[in-house]
Amino acid sequence: MLPWSSVPVPPVAGSAPPLRLFDTATGELRPTAPGATARMYVCGITPYDATHLGHAATYLAFDLVNRVWRDCGHDVHYVQNVTDVDEPLLERAIRDQDDWVVLAMRETALFREDMEALRVLAPRQFIGAVEAIPEISELVGKLLAAGSAYRLDDPEFPDVYFDSSATREFGYESGYDEATMRRLSAERGGDPERPGKRHPVDALLWRMARDGEPAWDSDLGRGRPGWHVECTAIALNRLGTQIDVQGGGSDLIFPHHEFGAAHAEALTGVHPFARHYCHAGMIGLDGEKMSKSRGNLVFVSRLRADGVDPMAIRLGLLAGHWRSDRAWEPGTLRAAQARLAAWRDAVRLDAGPEAHDTVARLRTHLADDLDTPNALAALDAWADEARGHRGRDRDAPALVRAAVDALLGVAL
Ligand code: 5CA
Ligand code: ZN
């Protein structure tokens, strides 16, 4: 698929400290240590509805990772998928008597527009599950050949499952106990109750064709891929056997990223698949996680249509820490709009307080597990002083504008 487009990011004067991020697998805040090329895979949308502020917050968090790494001089190889065939999409299409392909195309196009408006840097590769079906089925074939997967003994639907005991380390990514895994597997697309599986949490790799469902021919028999292996194949085939960051929201910790890691490791023998597993907090509304199934959504496209400046949306979502579950409230947007106006006023002045120190603080806070609340506070302080006409540095406004643009992605 074509990714969206994004403008190049010019370098900003000064030097940047290395990025430290919290890793779910080890439970530690650790430095990222990419080579010349940093490799990041972020799970993309399932395009059956418009992009809401929860999705946007997650993509903004990883956009900052991208921006901070670039600021450190790395080339960033960023890959994102689109789950353009899966249960929720097919169910929505049936409910609305829509063609699932057209529904997915329409929502993916809207997502692209939203990401562009929010100034999220485009991934280098943006890959739909449908276009990746040959490589996914090939990977499932290899897992079967290696004994890491098995066919269910079901004469009607001999689907293929991953054997969760295929790697010794299974469970290391989430750290969850078996009861939690079982519960989350049932809640998030798994089928722990299905008879004949070696272990209840074992994840579907290949679903044999059912009447009325889309299916593709492959050596495994006509069918379609499971969800987790889609991301494994897309990531492995483009980024290689070990990546720097596997990203997504915290609802992907289990089963999605646990199985993604286990599939890759069973195949390659390289552990861990990702050096950092990074999970963004959930955005909520009225005390509940914002989710398509609950219907309590604020869409990015709705706010844009209402004339809200996407830069205010961006600042509103960055005002909280990326890993904390947090609410989007009317006050969140109002505060962001006021902040945006104040920063814009300040960078339009002819002069301001010397800003190298402010930019250094911005970099230090971002390098510290993307501490945007403190990064934004450092800029507030500079903008307040500038607006109080307490500075004579004629280069400062342009420097702040360039740093806010490159590092926070906010165009002033
Ligand atoms: N297609 C899969 C990933 S391969 C998927 O989870 N799609 S999604 O459309 O449901 O979610 C897209 C991304 O947004 C995921 O990283 C998910 O964790 C994140 N996300 C979903 N809801 C929220 C929320 N309320 N707050 C923050 N992030 C969210
Ligand atoms: Zn994924």
Side-chain angles (χ1 to χ4, degrees), residues 33-51:
T37 298
R39 297 169 211 284
M40 174 160 73
Y41 183 88
V42 177
C43 283
I45 54 159
T46 305
Y48 66 91
D49 211 339
T51 309

Side-chain angles (χ1 to χ4, degrees), residues 26-313:
T26 55
E28 288 168 355
L29 187 61
R30 292 190 294 109
T32 60
T37 298
R39 297 169 211 284
M40 174 160 73
Y41 183 88
V42 177
C43 283
I45 54 159
T46 305
Y48 66 91
D49 211 339
T51 309
H52 60 62
L53 290 177
H55 303 132
T58 291
Y59 297 114
L60 285 176
F62 294 100
D63 188 49
L64 294 188
V65 173
N66 192 349
R67 287 170 183 275
V68 171
W69 273 342
R70 285 163 183 248
D71 188 42
C72 291
H74 298 289
D75 167 47
V76 182
H77 188 169
Y78 175 14
V79 178
Q80 190 180 122
N81 69 306
V82 180
T83 309
D84 58 358
V85 58
D86 200 19
E87 249 62 46
L89 173 74
L90 301 174
E91 284 164 14
R92 177 63 64 94
I94 289 169
R95 190 196 81 178
D96 295 350
Q97 298 187 309
D98 214 343
D99 175 336
W100 66 274
V101 176
V102 177
L103 172 63
M105 286 175 76
R106 196 168 61 229
E107 297 302 350
T108 305
L110 189 57
F111 172 73
R112 280 196 190 90
E113 256 185 50
D114 289 337
M115 291 297 106
E116 241 171 65
L118 291 172
R119 297 182 95 237
V120 173
L121 298 176
R124 186 172 298 175
Q125 284 146 317
F126 186 53
I127 310 291
V130 170
E131 64 185 314
I133 281 175
E135 59 184 282
I136 303 170
S137 62
E138 189 189 330
L139 195 152
V140 174
K142 285 184 184 162
L143 287 171
L144 266 174
S148 303
Y150 59 95
R151 269 196 196 269
L152 203 68
D153 187 13
D154 175 332
E156 200 182 6
F157 300 119
D159 300 333
V160 181
Y161 280 84
F162 182 77
D163 184 335
S164 53
S165 66
T167 60
R168 268 184 298 130
E169 296 85 359
F170 185 80
Y172 81 92
E173 183 269 342
S174 64
Y176 292 154
D177 61 24
E178 199 166 315
T180 309
M181 288 188 188
R182 235 181 125 128
R183 177 173 59 78
L184 292 177
S185 161
E187 282 173 21
R188 298 176 181 165
D191 52 5
E193 305 298 333
R194 186 166 180 192
K197 289 168 66 177
R198 289 185 189 162
H199 191 285
V201 302
D202 287 356
L204 180 73
L205 291 171
W206 189 258
R207 177 177 164 92
M208 301 301 282
R210 311 298 203 255
D211 271 355
E213 288 188 10
W216 290 263
D217 288 325
S218 89
D219 292 347
L220 304 162
R222 202 169 158 70
R224 65 180 161 98
W227 171 32
H228 319 308
V229 70
E230 160 196 341
C231 286
T232 310
I234 294 174
L236 274 182
N237 289 333
R238 286 158 190 81
L239 295 168
T241 55
Q242 192 172 50
I243 66 177
D244 292 292
V245 163
Q246 158 77 78
S250 60
D251 57 345
L252 298 187
I253 294 175
F254 191 90
H256 191 53
H257 289 168
E258 190 75 67
F259 276 100
H263 298 342
E265 291 165 18
L267 198 80
T268 68
V270 178
H271 172 88
F273 168 56
R275 293 189 173 128
H276 275 77
Y277 293 92
C278 297
H279 294 104
M282 291 291 114
I283 300 294
L285 186 75
D286 305 328
E288 284 205 273
K289 172 192 159 186
M290 208 177 270
S291 75
K292 295 172 203 178
S293 50
R294 287 197 179 89
N296 58 339
L297 307 176
V298 179
F299 295 123
V300 174
S301 43
R302 176 75 252 171
L303 291 176
R304 292 200 289 122
D306 290 342
V308 175
D309 188 327
M311 294 299 97
I313 304 173

Side-chain angles (χ1 to χ4, degrees), residues 337-406:
Q337 286 166 325
R339 174 176 262 152
L340 183 63
W343 291 9
R344 283 192 171 144
D345 280 351
V347 300
R348 279 190 196 119
L349 296 168
D350 291 335
E354 201 287 321
H356 285 98
D357 189 43
T358 302
V359 173
R361 268 188 284 158
L362 169 61
R363 282 185 164 125
T364 305
H365 290 309
L366 287 178
D368 179 19
D369 198 26
L370 308 176
D371 181 358
T372 51
N374 276 314
L376 268 51
L379 288 155
D380 288 340
W382 180 86
D384 282 350
E385 280 200 37
R387 291 162 77 227
H389 299 285
R390 288 198 293 275
R392 288 158 190 257
D393 185 335
R394 302 185 73 81
D395 296 329
L399 175 62
V400 170
R401 186 199 290 265
V404 168
D405 188 321

